[in-house]
Amino acid sequence: MREVFHQSLEDVQARLVEIAELVTVAMEGATRAFGTSDVALAEEIIEADAVIDTKAAEIDELAIQILARQQPVARDLRIVVAALRVSASLERMGDIAEHIAQFTRMRFPERAIPKGLKSTFTKMGELDVEAARKLTELLRTEDLSLVEELRALEEQLDDLHISVFEKVLSENWQGEAAATVDATLASRYLERFADHAVSVAKKVAYLATGEWSTATDEIPVITPAITRD
Amino acid sequence: MREVFHQSLEDVQARLVEIAELVTVAMEGATRAFGTSDVALAEEIIEADAVIDTKAAEIDELAIQILARQQPVARDLRIVVAALRVSASLERMGDIAEHIAQFTRMRFPERAIPKGLKSTFTKMGELDVEAARKLTELLRTEDLSLVEELRALEEQLDDLHISVFEKVLSENWQGEAAATVDATLASRYLERFADHAVSVAKKVAYLATGEWSTATDEIPVITPAITRD
């Protein structure tokens, strides 16, 4: 039974890695399409999101079946519950890549990236793709040094997100309202993507160490006094 | 054992209802503070979000303990897993109320609502509060007629969200870039709030009927062919 359980867990892990890879490809394509106004590529990314959604739903179903058939307890149980959450975060990261691709389609044949923000958005896109790659690697190897690297990427993205607002709100900003709307939403999406990556990384770290990092803004899991049993 | 399980489920349900009530209070206060530039009220809402986060984490812990100790299967298991997801959505709805309150604080003593959008944002706020109330009622009573009502509210919010963009992108829009940024983000948050409410409602409906509504954009849970056991 233990061996069956471990095979099942390996299956879940392999599937999470697979989705993280798809999310990486999606974000890579979405930011490339965004930067070059490649509407055909944007369409591809938008269509491909359904695959990520389906695969996330399959993981959820697999996790539920593991809970039902193998009735894990203690740490094993927490791993399966964490898998449900990781799949939800990955699915959401896929949605964000899709949103970025939708911008490109929406603005075509105009450029989606507002003038004066090209280098900022290029950098944000690169950092998000790097975050997706590191997250894939973390899910595959459980190498916890990647958690700190992901946090560092998230901080860089936060700074760039703030710099977008500073630019848009500065006296030099010449963009029309449409450019302001696009800059606001695109920056928000690109920043959220890394938030989700860090949130997954924290779960992986928690399972590996049993401890929430103190540098986190997420609250630790609290054990309420439950006496009935 | 069945009776213990049902007591535990009732406990989970009561806690979800309690959080939904807190979220309703938060959204009510946040939209009132947003409309009246009441920065003291905004501070209250921002502080109170930590309570929602803690209570959501407690539900998650309770659900994990139920899985460990009572090892539910079939529909019972799906209810517990759904509770984990519902608590995550409610927690996110609380975050959104907090974001709206943060706008008010950030812009104070200026008005947070951009000129020309007062009636739109007032209406969006009212619809979100109504959605939070109906969601609380749905969690309490499992009266599935509320699911359709929630969908109708979400559609109204989608329409208003689009109308904000139309206004901001129209030739008549006189707002500065700051007003455009605020309108974009606030509208996005207010629209997302109802999305989360509908996503919770769909889970409640799924558990009650075993069927995903065909009118949903969420994919059904797929059963992969798992043979190992």
Side-chain angles (χ1 to χ4, degrees):
Chain A
M1 191 69 180
R2 281 298 293 177
E3 199 181 322
V4 173
F5 178 72
H6 280 288
Q7 275 176 3
S8 304
L9 270 200
E10 274 172 30
D11 187 10
V12 168
Q13 183 181 17
R15 284 165 185 251
L16 289 173
V17 169
E18 186 196 3
I19 299 193
E21 282 166 345
L22 291 174
V23 168
T24 307
V25 169
M27 199 52 169
E28 208 163 21
T31 53
R32 188 147 38 94
F34 189 56
T36 59
S37 299
D38 183 340
V39 77
L41 178 57
E43 293 284 0
E44 257 178 56
I45 303 303
I46 293 166
E47 266 182 42
D49 188 55
V51 179
I52 293 175
D53 291 349
T54 303
K55 286 188 184 286
E58 284 171 0
I59 288 187
D60 292 352
E61 191 54 33
L62 181 58
I64 288 173
Q65 295 197 12
I66 292 172
L67 291 174
R69 295 182 184 175
Q70 302 179 14
Q71 311 207 319
V73 295
R75 182 162 176 275
D76 291 346
L77 170 59
R78 282 176 197 274
I79 291 173
V80 179
V81 171
L84 286 167
R85 292 193 176 131
V86 170
S87 90
S89 292
L90 291 172
E91 194 261 321
R92 194 73 205 126
M93 290 168 79
D95 287 347
I96 291 175
E98 187 190 6
H99 289 334
I100 298 289
Q102 281 165 340
F103 267 111
T104 310
R105 184 170 68 179
M106 206 163 56
R107 294 294 171 228
F108 188 79
E110 304 285 316
R111 280 204 170 257
I113 295 189
K115 255 190 209 165
L117 285 169
K118 172 103 183 162
S119 68
T120 307
F121 278 121
T122 302
K123 185 70 196 167
M124 290 182 89
E126 284 168 4
L127 291 171
D128 271 337
V129 171
E130 202 182 331
R133 283 216 189 95
K134 284 194 196 294
L135 185 60
T136 308
E137 205 49 29
L138 174 63
L139 288 168
R140 193 199 318 269
T141 63
E142 291 170 45
D143 169 1
L144 296 186
S145 70
L146 292 162
V147 178
E148 270 317 304
E149 292 181 29
L150 278 162
R151 263 179 213 286
L153 289 173
E154 185 207 21
E155 274 178 30
Q156 285 185 67
L157 275 153
D158 282 349
D159 291 345
L160 287 167
H161 182 48
I162 290 168
S163 84
V164 169
F165 286 125
E166 283 170 354
K167 179 103 186 185
V168 165
L169 300 179
S170 76
E171 285 178 11
N172 303 326
W173 177 245
Q174 312 249 325
E176 311 251 312
T180 308
V181 168
D182 288 357
T184 304
L185 284 181
S187 181
R188 165 85 184 151
Y189 290 139
L190 290 165
E191 178 248 341
R192 280 294 289 163
F193 186 87
D195 282 350
H196 285 291
V198 167
S199 139
V200 171
K202 282 189 217 162
K203 279 186 185 61
V204 175
Y206 168 69
L207 289 173
T209 64
E211 276 174 22
W212 283 90
S213 155
T214 51
T216 166
D217 55 2
E218 249 183 86
I219 45 163
V221 173
I222 286 159
T223 309
I226 300 176
T227 49
R228 89 160 62 114
D229 202 335
Chain B
M1 191 69 177
R2 283 296 295 176
E3 200 182 321
V4 172
F5 179 71
H6 280 287
Q7 274 178 2
S8 305
L9 270 199
E10 274 173 30
D11 187 11
V12 168
Q13 182 181 17
R15 284 165 184 252
L16 289 174
V17 169
E18 186 195 3
I19 300 194
E21 281 167 346
L22 292 174
V23 168
T24 307
V25 169
M27 199 51 168
E28 208 162 22
T31 54
R32 189 146 38 93
F34 188 55
T36 60
S37 298
D38 184 340
V39 77
L41 178 58
E43 294 285 1
E44 256 178 58
I45 304 302
I46 293 166
E47 268 182 40
D49 189 55
V51 179
I52 292 175
D53 291 349
T54 304
K55 285 188 183 286
E58 284 171 359
I59 288 186
D60 292 352
E61 192 54 32
L62 180 58
I64 288 173
Q65 296 198 12
I66 292 172
L67 290 174
R69 295 182 184 175
Q70 302 180 14
Q71 312 206 318
V73 294
R75 184 163 175 276
D76 291 346
L77 169 59
R78 281 174 198 274
I79 291 174
V80 178
V81 171
L84 286 167
R85 293 194 175 131
V86 170
S87 90
S89 291
L90 290 172
E91 194 260 321
R92 194 72 204 124
M93 290 169 80
D95 287 346
I96 291 175
E98 188 190 4
H99 289 334
I100 297 289
Q102 281 164 339
F103 267 111
T104 309
R105 185 171 66 178
M106 206 163 55
R107 293 295 171 228
F108 188 80
E110 304 284 317
R111 279 202 172 261
I113 295 190
K115 252 191 211 165
L117 285 168
K118 173 101 183 164
S119 68
T120 306
F121 279 121
T122 302
K123 185 70 197 167
M124 289 182 90
E126 284 168 3
L127 291 171
D128 271 337
V129 171
E130 201 182 330
R133 282 215 189 96
K134 282 194 197 295
L135 185 61
T136 308
E137 203 51 28
L138 174 63
L139 288 168
R140 192 196 320 267
T141 64
E142 292 172 46
D143 169 1
L144 296 187
S145 70
L146 292 162
V147 178
E148 270 317 304
E149 292 181 29
L150 278 162
R151 263 182 214 286
L153 288 172
E154 185 207 20
E155 274 179 30
Q156 286 184 68
L157 275 154
D158 281 349
D159 291 345
L160 288 168
H161 182 48
I162 291 168
S163 84
V164 169
F165 287 125
E166 284 170 354
K167 179 103 184 186
V168 164
L169 300 179
S170 75
E171 286 178 10
N172 302 326
W173 178 245
Q174 312 249 326
E176 311 251 312
T180 307
V181 169
D182 288 356
T184 303
L185 283 181
S187 181
R188 165 87 184 148
Y189 290 139
L190 290 166
E191 179 247 342
R192 281 294 289 162
F193 186 87
D195 282 352
H196 286 291
V198 166
S199 140
V200 171
K202 281 190 217 163
K203 281 189 183 60
V204 175
Y206 168 69
L207 289 172
T209 64
E211 277 174 22
W212 283 89
S213 154
T214 51
T216 166
D217 54 2
E218 248 182 86
I219 47 162
V221 174
I222 286 159
T223 308
I226 301 176
T227 49
R228 89 160 59 114
D229 202 333

